[in-house]
Amino acid sequence: MSGQPPINEQTTQDNEEIKVLVREAVNELLRDHLKRELLEGVRSGENRFSLAKFAGHPAFLLFVGFILTGIIGTLVTSRWQRNEWDRQQARLIQIRRIEQKEKIMEGLTQAIADSNETEQNVLIAFSKYWRPQDPRREEITRERLEAWREQGGRSWRIATELIWNKLNFYFIEQSRNELLNVFNRVQNRRASQLK
């Protein structure tokens, strides 16, 4: 028995090796257990709802892009187009009103010019310097006087009534009052001349 180590030594040595192996096994088991716990923690973190992860998903980004461009963009565009159409219609109405006012002013000017022209023709006809030697002088004077009366009769009344109504309808209060005052002065002057 001389070649074999004593039993006590071998047993201690075996015990030491077993202890080392047990320690390594325990360490290995602890490492495996820690790995499993970490893996479970990561997996459970993946299973939890994450707003950042959800917001970064391509399908969510596609959906948000569709809402922004498809729905909100359409609403904004249609509102802008409606406002632009309303603005254009208001401008067209303004242009038409201006054109109407110009026509009324032309009509008023024409009526007054016609009235003044017939009055001047009558006044010229009574001038001693107008056609002094013309044998038709009396006849032309009567024609001009008759034209003045006719122009001051039915045609003048129709023209003044139309102009009066148009002034009341198409002009705002301040402009309308000024125009009506001028028009009344013309009518009063004309009425005083006919008496």
Side-chain angles (χ1 to χ4, degrees):
M1 296 205 162
S2 62
Q4 284 191 11
I7 295 182
N8 274 345
E9 283 181 34
Q10 179 142 13
T11 316
T12 358
Q13 202 178 15
D14 286 339
N15 282 344
E16 287 296 320
E17 285 179 12
I18 290 174
K19 285 180 184 177
V20 170
L21 286 174
V22 168
R23 270 190 237 131
E24 285 178 7
V26 168
N27 285 339
E28 191 66 36
L29 285 174
L30 284 174
R31 254 188 271 143
D32 285 343
H33 181 66
L34 282 174
K35 284 181 185 178
R36 271 188 254 136
E37 282 181 8
L38 287 173
L39 189 60
E40 284 176 18
V42 169
R43 285 184 182 160
S44 68
E46 287 177 356
N47 292 337
R48 277 191 246 143
F49 177 75
S50 169
L51 183 61
K53 195 170 188 181
F54 181 71
H57 195 275
F60 176 76
L61 294 175
L62 179 68
F63 181 70
V64 169
F66 170 73
I67 288 175
L68 291 176
T69 58
I71 297 172
I72 295 174
T74 302
L75 292 174
V76 168
T77 302
S78 69
R79 178 154 176 91
W80 179 82
Q81 287 175 341
R82 185 176 40 240
N83 288 343
E84 181 64 18
W85 187 84
D86 289 343
R87 186 194 65 77
Q88 289 176 357
Q89 293 304 310
R91 180 69 179 138
L92 287 174
I93 289 170
Q94 183 183 22
I95 289 170
R96 287 187 188 126
R97 285 182 181 162
I98 291 170
E99 289 172 353
Q100 283 292 338
K101 288 177 181 181
E102 287 175 350
K103 287 179 183 178
I104 292 167
M105 296 307 297
E106 288 173 5
L108 177 61
T109 304
Q110 185 64 45
I112 292 171
D114 289 344
S115 175
N116 287 341
E117 190 266 333
T118 55
E119 289 173 7
Q120 287 178 356
N121 281 343
V122 169
L123 292 174
I124 290 171
F126 284 110
S127 170
K128 63 180 179 179
Y129 301 110
W130 182 73
R131 297 184 178 199
Q133 303 299 326
D134 190 354
R136 290 193 52 227
R137 183 172 186 240
E138 290 291 321
E139 182 183 334
I140 294 172
T141 302
R142 271 190 238 111
E143 287 174 5
R144 287 185 175 188
L145 190 57
E146 199 55 42
W148 178 63
R149 285 184 182 143
E150 183 181 316
Q151 197 276 336
R154 182 176 188 272
S155 61
W156 177 253
R157 285 191 307 272
I158 290 171
T160 57
E161 190 63 33
L162 287 173
I163 290 169
W164 187 270
N165 289 330
K166 288 178 181 179
L167 288 176
N168 279 322
F169 185 75
Y170 287 107
F171 288 88
I172 59 173
E173 192 168 333
Q174 183 180 2
S175 300
R176 178 179 54 224
N177 291 339
E178 291 175 21
L179 290 170
L180 289 174
N181 286 335
V182 170
F183 194 56
N184 283 333
R185 284 196 308 257
V186 169
Q187 284 186 305
N188 291 338
R189 190 192 76 189
R190 182 160 176 84
S192 68
Q193 291 174 352
L194 288 175
K195 291 181 183 179

